[in-house]
C-alpha cells in the first residue's frame, strides 16, 4: 500500500492518534497546528469529511487533555517537574499559572488553552490547582474548539493552493520547504521567548521556545504568541521580582 492509499484509509485515525498523544503530554516533534492544518487541507481536497475530522480531533484533544489533567493530579507532577524543564515548563512558571487558573472562570481557562505557548502549561497547572473536573473540561473543550476552528479555517482556505503547489513541485522540494518553515517557526519562538524573558539563560529560552514550537508554529499562532500572553509571563516576571525583593512577598501575594 502506498502512502496516499494509507492516508486515505487511516489518515484520520493516525492524525487523531498523534493529537491524542500530544494532548496527553507526549513530546512528539510535530507542532500541533501542522497536524490540524494537514487534516483541514485533506478535508478541503475532499479526502476527509470536514465535520468528521473536526469532531475526531476535538475528541482527541479533549480526551488527551483530561488524561494529562488526571495524571498531574495523581502521580504526574514529579515527572513533569523533572522532565518538563526541557520544554520550558519550570516549577515557578507552573505554580504561577496554577494560581492564575484558580481565579479564572471557564472562559479564562478556555482562552489559556487557545493561546499558543501557554496551552502546554495550562492543563497541568489546572491539575495542580485542583480545578473542578467539570470546570476544567468545559474550559478545555471551549479552548480546543476555538484552536481547531482557527486552524481548520486556515487549512480550508489554503488547502487548494497547497495542493496545487504540491503538484507543481517535487516531493523533495515540498519536504525541504516544510522543514524550512518549521525551522523559521522555531527561530521566531526563540526571539519571542528571549524578548519576554531577557534575563533567562540561553538554555532556558531554548526550552521555552521548544515547548511553544511543540504546540504551534503557523504565522497566526506566532502572532498570537507574540502579542497575547494573558499576562501570565508578566505575572511570572512580577513574582520573580517579588521573590528577589524578599520582604514584600507575603504582603502582596
Amino acid at each position: 500500500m502506498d502512502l496516499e492509499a494509507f492516508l486515505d484509509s487511516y489518515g484520520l485515525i493516525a492524525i487523531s492518534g498523534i493529537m491524542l498523544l500530544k494532548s496527553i503530554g507526549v513530546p512528539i516533534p510535530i507542532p500541533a497546528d501542522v497536524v490540524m492544518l494537514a487534516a483541514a487541507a485533506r478535508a478541503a481536497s475532499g479526502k476527509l469529511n470536514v465535520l468528521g475530522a473536526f469532531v475526531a480531533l476535538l475528541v482527541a484533544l479533549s480526551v488527551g487533555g483530561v488524561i494529562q489533567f488526571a495524571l498531574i493530579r495523581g502521580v504526574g507532577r514529579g515527572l513533569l517537574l523533572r522532565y518538563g524543564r526541557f520544554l520550558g515548563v519550570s516549577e515557578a512558571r507552573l505554580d504561577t499559572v496554577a494560581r492564575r487558573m484558580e481565579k479564572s472562570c471557564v472562559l479564562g481557562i478556555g482562552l489559556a488553552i487557545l493561546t499558543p505557548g501557554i496551552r502546554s502549561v495550562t492543563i497541568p497547572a489546572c491539575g495542580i490547582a485542583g480545578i473542578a473536573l467539570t470546570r476544567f473540561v468545559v474550559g478545555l473543550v471551549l479552548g480546543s474548539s476555538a484552536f481547531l476552528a482557527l486552524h481548520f479555517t486556515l487549512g480550508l482556505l489554503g488547502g487548494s493552493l497547497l495542493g496545487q503547489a504540491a503538484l507543481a513541485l517535487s516531493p523533495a522540494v515540498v519536504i525541504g520547504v516544510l522543514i524550512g518553515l518549521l525551522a523559521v517557526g522555531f527561530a521566531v519562538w526563540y526571539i519571542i521567548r528571549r524578548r519576554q524573558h531577557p534575563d533567562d539563560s540561553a538554555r532556558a529560552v531554548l526550552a521555552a521556545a521548544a515547548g511553544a514550537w511543540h504546540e504551534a508554529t503557523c504565522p497566526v499562532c506566532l502572532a498570537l504568541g507574540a502579542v497575547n500572553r494573558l499576562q501570565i509571563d508578566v505575572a511570572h516576571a512580577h513574582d520573580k521580582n517579588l521573590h528577589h525583593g524578599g520582604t514584600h512577598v507575603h504582603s502582596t501575594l
Side-chain angles (χ1 to χ4, degrees):
M1 180 181 293
D2 62 23
L3 178 60
E4 189 65 22
F6 174 81
L7 289 175
D8 288 340
S9 299
Y10 304 106
L12 185 55
I13 296 175
I15 291 170
S16 299
I18 291 172
M19 293 306 298
L20 174 65
L21 292 174
K22 288 179 68 66
S23 297
I24 292 173
V26 179
I28 298 174
I30 305 174
D33 61 349
V34 172
V35 178
M36 290 184 283
L37 288 171
R42 289 185 68 80
S45 66
K47 295 176 181 178
L48 288 176
N49 177 271
V50 176
L51 180 59
F54 187 94
V55 171
L57 290 177
L58 179 59
V59 169
L61 288 170
S62 301
V63 171
V66 170
I67 291 174
Q68 183 182 167
F69 174 83
L71 288 173
I72 294 300
R73 292 187 73 168
V75 299
R77 175 172 176 142
L79 289 174
L80 179 64
L81 294 179
R82 184 173 182 178
Y83 298 107
R85 57 192 175 89
F86 296 110
L87 291 175
V89 184
S90 65
E91 183 172 10
R93 188 175 185 225
L94 195 61
D95 289 340
T96 297
V97 180
R99 290 194 298 272
R100 187 160 292 273
M101 290 300 102
E102 285 179 340
K103 304 173 184 178
S104 296
C105 62
V106 293
L107 290 178
I109 294 173
L111 185 58
I113 294 290
L114 167 65
T115 305
I118 298 177
R119 178 187 177 96
S120 62
V121 74
T122 297
I123 294 176
C126 286
I128 289 173
I131 302 296
L133 179 61
T134 301
R135 178 177 157 205
F136 169 74
V137 170
V138 173
L140 174 66
V141 172
L142 286 175
S144 298
S145 298
F147 196 51
L148 272 174
L150 170 65
H151 290 90
F152 263 61
T153 300
L154 293 174
L156 290 172
L157 291 176
S160 58
L161 294 176
L162 291 174
Q164 293 174 8
L167 290 174
L169 301 173
S170 68
V173 172
V174 173
I175 292 173
V177 170
L178 288 175
I179 293 175
L181 291 174
L182 291 176
V184 169
F186 183 86
V188 173
W189 272 122
Y190 180 85
I191 293 170
I192 292 172
R193 287 299 186 240
R194 170 53 70 193
R195 289 182 175 178
Q196 291 173 351
H197 304 287
D199 297 329
D200 285 357
S201 66
R203 182 175 180 178
V205 174
L206 280 172
W213 180 90
H214 178 255
E215 295 176 23
T217 191
C218 75
V220 174
C221 288
L222 293 174
L224 287 174
V227 303
N228 186 357
R229 293 172 284 165
L230 297 181
Q231 299 182 338
I232 287 176
D233 290 319
V234 174
H236 176 45
H238 181 61
D239 285 349
K240 287 172 65 178
N241 290 335
L242 289 176
H243 175 72
H244 292 312
T247 57
H248 300 291
V249 173
H250 295 292
S251 62
T252 54
L253 286 183

